[in-house]
Amino acid sequence: QVQLVESGGGLVQAGGSLRLSCAASGRDLSAYVMGWFRQAPGKEREFVATISRGGNRIVHADPVKGRFTISRDNAKNTVYLQMNSLKTDDTALYYCGASDRVGSIKTSDDYNYWGQGTQVTVSS
């Protein structure tokens, strides 16, 4: 069993930056592919980014490419999402997930564990 806790969300003006963290406990995070997803009110959960177990394979969704960066520190059992040049469209509840699958996992159904989410609100 893996417990995931996200943090780092908040209210920021458009153009600003935030760094989200996802801390894991219960299992060694290096055993999992990790991903960030987001869900805005009235919308489905949306893929944001994923990173392989060793951190050498990274995929970002098109809407965040060039602005967001996923990374991980397996020694600290933590995954990060650096978000720059934030837009109002980025407003959502951000979740991290852990998957025991292989490859770049972009589908939320393929993740085994989820955190409770951290709210990101971008004002104009």
Side-chain angles (χ1 to χ4, degrees), residues 80-103:
Y80 305 97
L81 185 68
Q82 178 67 43
M83 305 187 297
N84 300 327
S85 302
L86 282 160
K87 305 175 181 179
T88 55
D89 287 349
D90 295 321
T91 295
L93 189 59
Y94 282 71
Y95 298 90
C96 71
S99 173
D100 61 6
R101 302 283 182 109
V102 175

Side-chain angles (χ1 to χ4, degrees), residues 49-61:
T50 183
I51 186 167
S52 61
R53 289 168 174 80
N56 60 327
R57 201 162 20 171
I58 290 173
V59 178
H60 295 94

Side-chain angles (χ1 to χ4, degrees), residues 6-68:
E6 301 95 335
S7 61
L11 174 64
V12 64
Q13 285 191 325
S17 298
L18 284 173
R19 188 194 196 200
L20 305 185
S21 298
C22 172
S25 61
R27 296 278 306 266
D28 188 346
L29 202 61
S30 65
Y32 298 92
V33 171
M34 298 299 296
W36 284 97
F37 286 71
R38 65 187 182 185
Q39 188 166 17
K43 294 187 177 181
E44 294 187 352
R45 192 169 293 193
E46 174 188 29
F47 166 73
V48 175
T50 183
I51 186 167
S52 61
R53 289 168 174 80
N56 60 327
R57 201 162 20 171
I58 290 173
V59 178
H60 295 94
D62 285 344
V64 308
K65 204 169 289 184
R67 300 187 298 121
F68 292 11

